Amino acid sequence: MTLDESTRGDPLAPGDAGAKVIRGGGLRAGAHVVGVVSGVISAPLVIRHLGVEGYGKLAVVTSIMFVATALTEGGLANVAIRRYATGTPAERRSLIGALLGLRVVLTAIGASAALALGLAAGYDDVVMGGLALACVGMLANSLWGAFHTALVAQLRLTAVAALEIVRA
């Protein structure tokens, strides 16, 4: 199955859309709960394993990457979903391609800034390695975001919920 819905009816057509949103919203809420529970279970294990100093380094890496990710996202997903939902199939394909390109460029800029900040601050090899690994994850997350746009706009919320559980 592809993200191209040209062989299917309009997912936003009256009648089906409301039920899809309600069902999909419930599934996404359930996926969120699974993610929170897995975080609550894993956090004490990670803290115990890393110790105070190691957990502090993890917090530094996480904080820097949170800021970099927030700056590269900047509401891009909401605008893309709106444009995707109102576009023709050709415009939608073009939008996803442009969105992928834009996300890759913004991620490269954000990752470079995060690594430059780490170097300028004089962080040790462990933190720099963590930043580098997190930058790879940031790229994977930005690519996922482009396809997430198509899934949400097509109201394929069951697939979105399943992918959110995997990401948790």
Side-chain angles (χ1 to χ4, degrees), residues 8-90:
R8 289 182 277 171
D10 182 10
L12 302 176
D16 256 0
K20 286 182 180 180
V21 168
I22 291 170
R23 186 173 46 254
L27 288 170
R28 289 188 72 192
H32 181 73
V33 168
V34 169
V36 169
V37 169
S38 67
V40 167
I41 291 170
S42 65
L45 301 172
V46 170
I47 293 168
R48 184 178 177 129
H49 176 73
L50 293 177
V52 175
E53 185 178 339
Y55 189 72
K57 291 178 180 183
L58 175 66
V60 167
V61 169
T62 307
S63 298
I64 291 170
M65 294 313 296
F66 175 77
V67 172
T69 303
L71 291 175
T72 59
E73 170 57 32
L76 191 58
N78 293 335
V79 172
I81 289 171
R82 186 184 70 226
R83 295 277 314 267
Y84 188 96
T86 59
T88 65

Side-chain angles (χ1 to χ4, degrees), residues 69-157:
T69 303
L71 291 175
T72 59
E73 170 57 32
L76 191 58
N78 293 335
V79 172
I81 289 171
R82 186 184 70 226
R83 295 277 314 267
Y84 188 96
T86 59
T88 65
E91 291 171 338
R92 291 173 180 172
R93 280 189 294 279
S94 176
L95 175 68
I96 294 299
L99 186 60
L100 276 169
L102 181 60
R103 284 186 179 274
V104 167
V105 169
L106 289 175
T107 298
I109 293 168
S112 298
L115 291 170
L117 176 67
L119 288 172
Y123 290 132
D124 63 16
D125 291 342
V126 172
V127 173
M128 290 305 297
L131 282 172
L133 186 60
C135 288
V136 172
M138 184 178 164
L139 177 62
N141 188 56
S142 69
L143 296 176
W144 173 85
F147 295 112
H148 176 264
T149 297
L151 291 173
V152 169
Q154 294 173 18
L155 298 180
R156 293 173 58 186
L157 301 177

